[in-house]
Amino acid sequence: MTLADLRGPLRITVGLHRRVLCAGLALVLLAAIALPAGRWYVQSLTEDLAATGCRVENTVSGCGIEVRGFLSRSLYVAKMFSYVALGVSGLLPLLLGAFVAGPLIGREFESGTYRLQWTQSVSPARWLAARLAVPAAAVLLVLPAFALLAAWIRRGTAGTWYPVQWYEVPVYGTIGPVAVGSALLGIAVGALAGLLIGRTVPAMAATVAAVGSVGAVIVLLRPLFWPALDGPAPGGENWVLSDQAKGTGSRYHPESHFWPLQLVESAILLALAAAATVAAFALLRRRHR
């Protein structure tokens, strides 16, 4: 199967769902604009506070309003980053999975419209490949660049009063390859659920439940994906897993563990996505030979 073989089914898929695809792209672009705008805003607030002669470290008489305003606005920006990260790492895989399970696959089986394409020289395998290629291509084209942007913005918060920590659950799932792996897993699980159930709403609900459950288990197991260090945590952004007790020190992941943890988790997510994709094609071939 080549790209030329998928050209027709791809055009049909994009044409049928172009509004949803455009809306999703617009939301990602909006988030991509909001993050650097927030960083610029905090820098502007810092410069404005410095121009007044006031300092957060040593608030003198007459500076209370300026300092409180600076801190509250800086906190709003940090929260905005967390909300955007939650949308990308938590909601995006669920939405992608539900979209594939329902509108892309489940609805066609429920209405029977898939038979029309299968009788027009489009094999079931090509039909399913086109359904998966459209959202997967969107993820691979957009999310890596967004993850790099989010990682750059996060590093810019290191010297602020409200730094965004790399190990926070929504942030961690946004600033590395885990974001791509989670999104692809949502797509693969959505395809499998759509084929298994064949009804729009139940397939979407099953996908959200399955992807959400896998995501929750992954988050719980995340600290185990790379050996943690024991002893007093040095300075820097350390993910402390257990606080000091009885003088035995702590268990923690230093920031240098970010990439090993990310790569191991990404490999697990991609393996699960590949398994779900293979199962979807096997199911389709078994049912519609």
Side-chain angles (χ1 to χ4, degrees), residues 22 42 78 113 118 120 125 131 142 149 153 161 166 170 236-237 263 265 271:
C22 290
V42 171
T113 54
W118 290 6
Q120 295 179 345
R131 293 298 182 276
V142 175
L149 174 65
I153 297 298
W161 284 95
W166 64 270
E237 298 184 46
L263 293 176
E265 184 171 337

Side-chain angles (χ1 to χ4, degrees), residues 229-270:
L229 301 181
D230 296 316
E237 298 184 46
N238 300 300
W239 181 9
V240 179
L241 305 177
S242 61
D243 295 328
Q244 293 183 358
K246 299 180 181 180
T248 59
S250 303
R251 294 187 68 250
Y252 65 96
H253 284 295
E255 190 175 4
S256 60
H257 284 190
F258 171 78
W259 278 109
L261 287 166
Q262 281 272 331
L263 293 176
V264 171
E265 184 171 337
S266 299
I268 294 172
L269 292 171
L270 292 176

Side-chain angles (χ1 to χ4, degrees), residues 17-254:
H17 303 284
R18 60 184 180 276
R19 292 183 180 178
V20 175
L21 294 172
C22 290
L25 179 61
L27 288 176
V28 174
L29 290 176
L30 182 62
I33 294 172
L35 291 182
R39 178 173 177 173
W40 171 84
Y41 183 55
V42 171
Q43 291 176 343
S44 176
L45 291 174
T46 304
E47 294 171 359
D48 291 343
L49 181 66
T52 64
C54 298
R55 297 178 60 191
V56 177
E57 298 89 339
N58 185 19
T59 304
V60 297
S61 177
C63 287
I65 294 177
E66 287 79 3
V67 170
R68 284 196 299 270
F70 167 76
L71 291 176
S72 63
R73 292 184 180 92
S74 299
L75 179 60
Y76 292 152
V77 173
K79 287 183 176 180
M80 180 198 70
F81 188 103
S82 297
Y83 292 148
V84 171
L86 179 62
V88 172
S89 64
L91 296 181
L92 184 60
L94 300 179
L95 294 176
L96 283 170
F99 173 66
V100 173
L104 272 184
I105 294 178
R107 183 179 297 170
E108 294 214 19
F109 275 95
E110 193 170 24
S111 62
T113 54
Y114 69 95
R115 296 190 184 94
L116 177 61
Q117 293 189 52
W118 290 6
T119 57
Q120 295 179 345
S121 302
V122 176
S123 67
R126 287 173 57 196
W127 173 86
L128 179 57
R131 293 298 182 276
L132 294 177
V134 171
V139 165
L140 293 174
L141 287 173
V142 175
L143 267 191
F146 184 86
L148 289 174
L149 174 65
W152 175 70
I153 297 298
R154 187 204 70 82
R155 286 196 169 275
T157 69
T160 66
W161 284 95
Y162 298 102
V164 177
Q165 305 294 347
W166 64 270
Y167 51 80
E168 294 176 7
V169 173
V171 176
Y172 179 90
T174 305
I175 59 175
V178 164
V180 178
S182 299
L184 293 178
L185 177 62
I187 293 171
V189 172
L192 182 58
L195 290 171
L196 276 172
I197 300 173
R199 296 173 58 193
T200 304
V201 176
M204 294 174 69
T207 300
V208 169
V211 175
S213 298
V214 171
V217 172
I218 289 289
V219 169
L220 291 175
L221 296 178
R222 182 173 292 162
L224 307 177
F225 291 157
W226 197 257
L229 301 181
D230 296 316
E237 298 184 46
N238 300 300
W239 181 9
V240 179
L241 305 177
S242 61
D243 295 328
Q244 293 183 358
K246 299 180 181 180
T248 59
S250 303
R251 294 187 68 250
Y252 65 96
H253 284 295

